[in-house]
Amino acid sequence: SGKTFVVTGTLSRYSREDIEALIRQLGGKASGSVSKNTDYLIAGEKAGSKLDKAKQLGVAVLNEDDFDKLIGK
């Protein structure tokens, strides 16, 4: 709750719309771009430039398994 997430790349278990809806349902914010205000980047296959920017800014990078653990799933 209260955290900002960015989703990038191709996910295997979630559609982007589904994971962003889940983030909002749990009280988080789903953003389209990585910034210093981003708490987590959820990165799938072929994450690209958003992953590079997240690493540059020191944003925590999660895969789908990490995200599931974070939300207690």
Side-chain angles (χ1 to χ4, degrees):
S1 181
K3 300 292 184 183
T4 301
F5 293 80
V6 174
V7 182
T8 191
T10 305
L11 303 174
S12 60
R13 292 192 306 271
Y14 294 98
S15 72
R16 186 163 307 188
E17 294 79 20
D18 288 345
I19 201 166
E20 288 176 352
L22 182 56
I23 290 165
R24 287 190 292 273
Q25 182 181 11
L26 294 170
K29 179 182 173 193
S31 178
S33 59
V34 177
S35 73
K36 62 180 172 61
N37 298 320
T38 304
D39 295 296
Y40 297 100
L41 175 74
I42 302 170
E45 295 293 318
K46 301 177 184 170
S49 62
K50 288 181 184 176
L51 178 58
D52 296 336
K53 186 165 185 183
K55 287 179 179 178
Q56 179 183 9
L57 293 173
V59 172
V61 178
L62 307 175
N63 61 30
E64 287 176 273
D65 291 335
D66 297 331
F67 177 72
D68 284 345
K69 288 176 192 167
L70 183 70
I71 65 170
K73 189 172 178 185

